[in-house]
Every structure is written in structure tokens, then in C-alpha cells.
Amino acid sequence: MNTGRPAASVLIATFNRADMLDDTLASLARMAVKPGLEWECLVIDNNSTDGTKDVLERRATNFPVPLRYLFEGRQGRSSALNRGIAAAHSDVLVFTDDDVRAADGWLDAAHEALASPIDPSIGFAGGPVRPRWETSPPAWLDLERGDLWGTIAIQDHGGAPFVYEERRKVPLGANMAVRREVFDRAGLFRADLGRTGDGRLVLGQEVPEFLIRARNAGFRGMYLPAMEVHHHVPAARLTRRYFRRWWFGKGVSRSALERLQPRTDMGIDLARTPHLFDVPRYMYGSALRDAVAWARALVARRPAAAFRHQMMLAYFAGYVWARRQARTRTRPAAGMPISHRTS
């Protein structure tokens, strides 16, 4: 029976990827859902200058559920998603990207987990993000271990459900569902941490930061194998240069996030952790171990292992660079007192 209010809202932020978006909407239109599950789809146009609006108008004529076009003028994925959250009509908000294909049962799994959770602390959910390779992945990318998969937004934690917090894992923003109550209590995405498409080193940290606030508000998340999407991985991202820049940028981003939220997603309280030159001291030991492992892997001709350790060093370099920049910006003028703290 149609109640006039959808049970779930799918939100997609987009910027100048009309062709990709068209394919994503086609995937959602043919996605199998359980009978009686009423849902809507909201696409938030974040200042696109291509044919994004035309794609929406054309798809809306025969889309199986309400397909709504929204515009957000403030540049950035966080601002676009916040616009969609405010406009959505349901209490289960399901987020994905404009370059994915949803598997049958994707929306069912998200809705079932959050609409009436057995455990009221379960406030968000996520699932596998499998790759759709534009070209064959290179030999230096380890497909057995997931250490570097975040670079190209893929994730697979296996075929059994689990609570993210119990394994110290987090969902990807390309495949995440959240109960509206979580946003009501923890707040929306921070606009200053999201991707803006302007080439900044600071990458999207809006999801990790939001999840920290959600946990502080008493919520946990579920990993659901049935909540599956397939993400397009372009050839342009399968280069060593792209990965190096991404991991350096992640270090910069993580530094910014941990200034805002000193308790990490691994449970480490950085406010109580010894620092050296404003960098957590344990990171120097990790970097040294990665440098030794990198050299050994090179000698042993294990390119995937060598590259993995190299990217950990790029992350460390980005973190240190960001902390140095912050120290320079906050250095007091000549003659002003300097407060010292013990490292």
C-alpha cells in the first residue's frame, strides 16, 4: 500500500559526470527490491556545467520511483549531501556515488538493517564496494590485501555480517546507509572536510569525522555483505603517481581530522599520546618499520609489498608536512611568549 512517504531515500551527489550518472540511474532503475518497499532517489547537482540536469529530466519520465533533482551551489560533496538529507522524506538515508551500479537486494539490505533494528544502537550500515576495472589492475596493486583499496574506493570484508566497531572498520561513503536519528543527534557532514573537486591536498574526511561523532552519540554500524555495489575504477587512478598523491593527501587530511577529533577510530586518545614535533611518537616507529620493509621487498622483487610500504611512507610524509605547516601558521610573533608542552 502506498503511504505517500518512502521507506528509504537514495542520495547521490554529483558534479560534471552526466554520463556516469546516467549509468548509475539505469542501474538503480532495474535494481530488484522486495515488493512493497517504497523508496525515492535524490540527485544533488553540485554546480555541474554538463548535461546533468538533462539526464535527470530524461530519466524521471520512466523511473520506477520518484526521482528528484536538487541543486546545491556551495561546492563540496558534504554540502551537497547535507542538502539532500534536509530534503529527503524518509528516515533511512542511503548514500552512494554517481559512478556505481547497485546489486539486487542492495536497498533491501540497508532498509532491513536500519528501519527496525533489533539493537537500537545500530545507526548506520555499509557493505562491499567491488571494482569495475576500466583497465586491468597493475602488478604493484595487491588484490589480496585491502590496505590500499581505499585509494580507489573499493572494499570487501567477507561474506559474514559484523559490527564495524568490533573489528575497527568503517564503511565507505560510496556505500553507506544512516538512520536520520543519527544525524539529528550527531549533526550533519562537516562542509570543510568534504571533497570539493578543486585539487586540494585535503581529501574527503567528512565520513570518518561524522562516524566519530556518531559513535560518541552512542551509535554503532553493521557490515552487510548483501548491501553490495560495484564501483567504476578509471584507468587514470591506476597509476603510481595517483596513488602517491592520494596517500600523501590522506596524511594531510588525517592530520587535520585528528586536530578536530583527537580520539582516533582505532581508539587511540592522541591528547594523551606522547608527541615529537607535534606528531604522535609512535608514527616514527611505524615509518621506520615501513622503510625497512620497503627495502626488503624491493630486494626480494615483491612489487606489491614494496609499493604498499611506500604508500605508508607517503602517508607519514603528508601527516608530518601538515603538522609542520600548522606549526608555522601558529608560530607567535617575535617577543610573544611561547607555551611549551612536554613531548
Side-chain angles (χ1 to χ4, degrees):
M1 180 177 67
N2 192 327
T3 64
R5 190 169 187 268
S9 299
V10 174
L11 280 68
I12 304 171
T14 189
F15 173 64
N16 280 345
R17 296 210 288 187
D19 290 342
M20 288 286 188
L21 176 64
D22 194 28
D23 185 71
T24 294
L25 292 176
S27 164
L28 292 173
R30 62 176 178 264
M31 173 184 62
V33 298
K34 290 184 177 179
L37 178 61
E38 300 163 14
W39 60 287
E40 65 177 351
C41 182
L42 290 74
V43 176
I44 307 96
D45 181 355
N46 197 198
N47 288 314
S48 297
T49 56
D50 59 1
T52 292
K53 190 172 184 180
D54 295 336
V55 168
L56 265 292
E57 291 176 348
R58 174 169 50 81
R59 284 285 174 190
T61 59
N62 57 5
F63 208 70
V65 299
L67 176 59
R68 300 165 57 195
Y69 173 88
L70 302 174
F71 180 84
E72 173 53 53
R74 183 177 180 182
Q75 198 67 49
R77 185 173 185 270
S78 295
S79 296
L81 292 180
N82 289 343
R83 172 79 172 88
I85 293 166
H89 293 148
S90 72
D91 292 328
V92 175
L93 308 172
V94 190
F95 302 91
T96 193
D97 283 351
D98 57 7
D99 57 354
V100 306
R101 293 175 183 171
D104 289 343
W106 170 69
L107 192 59
D108 294 327
H111 177 260
E112 289 172 8
L114 299 183
S116 299
I118 297 175
D119 182 346
S121 73
I122 299 301
F124 58 93
V129 183
R130 306 194 190 283
R132 293 190 294 117
W133 306 108
E134 186 175 273
T135 188
S136 298
W140 46 260
L141 178 57
D142 194 334
L143 299 180
E144 299 299 321
R145 296 181 50 149
D147 307 66
L148 304 186
W149 290 1
T151 319
I152 48 179
I154 61 175
Q155 186 178 89
D156 186 355
H157 294 314
F162 63 84
V163 175
Y164 279 114
E165 286 68 24
E166 293 177 357
R167 297 195 188 179
R168 295 184 175 181
K169 303 290 185 181
V170 295
L172 292 179
N175 188 17
M176 183 176 72
V178 183
R179 283 165 47 199
R180 183 178 293 278
E181 179 189 2
V182 182
F183 289 111
D184 292 340
R185 289 173 53 182
L188 300 175
F189 296 115
R190 284 188 60 136
D192 57 337
L193 294 178
R195 299 195 306 270
T196 61
D198 60 3
R200 293 185 308 171
L201 280 174
V202 178
L203 304 173
Q205 289 292 298
E206 73 277 10
V207 170
E209 193 275 338
F210 165 73
L211 292 177
I212 291 172
R213 283 187 280 120
R215 291 182 180 120
N216 290 341
F219 294 103
R220 302 187 301 161
M222 284 292 299
Y223 172 78
L224 307 169
M227 189 178 159
E228 177 183 328
V229 300
H230 297 256
H231 178 247
H232 177 254
V233 182
R237 295 185 181 180
L238 294 174
T239 67
R240 293 176 185 268
R241 182 175 182 272
Y242 179 86
F243 270 68
R244 291 188 186 106
R245 177 177 173 80
W246 194 94
W247 279 95
F248 185 91
K250 184 174 182 179
V252 175
S253 306
R254 195 68 185 188
S255 172
L257 174 59
E258 290 179 355
R259 284 189 178 279
L260 297 171
Q261 298 281 2
R263 182 175 290 276
T264 73
D265 51 10
M266 300 296 288
I268 300 172
D269 186 355
L270 296 179
R272 299 177 178 272
T273 300
H275 283 59
L276 181 63
F277 301 115
D278 207 24
V279 174
R281 200 164 64 191
Y282 68 83
M283 291 185 67
Y284 293 96
S286 297
L288 178 60
R289 289 189 290 273
D290 278 310
V292 172
W294 179 26
R296 288 176 175 171
L298 286 173
V299 171
R301 296 183 178 181
R302 294 185 292 123
F307 193 69
R308 183 175 67 251
H309 291 294
Q310 185 186 24
M311 293 305 96
M312 297 305 101
L313 291 172
Y315 170 83
F316 175 72
Y319 195 105
V320 172
W321 179 86
R323 289 301 169 99
R324 182 177 178 181
Q325 293 296 308
R327 285 167 64 91
T328 300
R329 287 193 298 269
T330 58
R331 186 174 297 159
M336 293 183 64
I338 302 175
S339 62
H340 296 276
R341 73 183 181 100
T342 303
S343 296

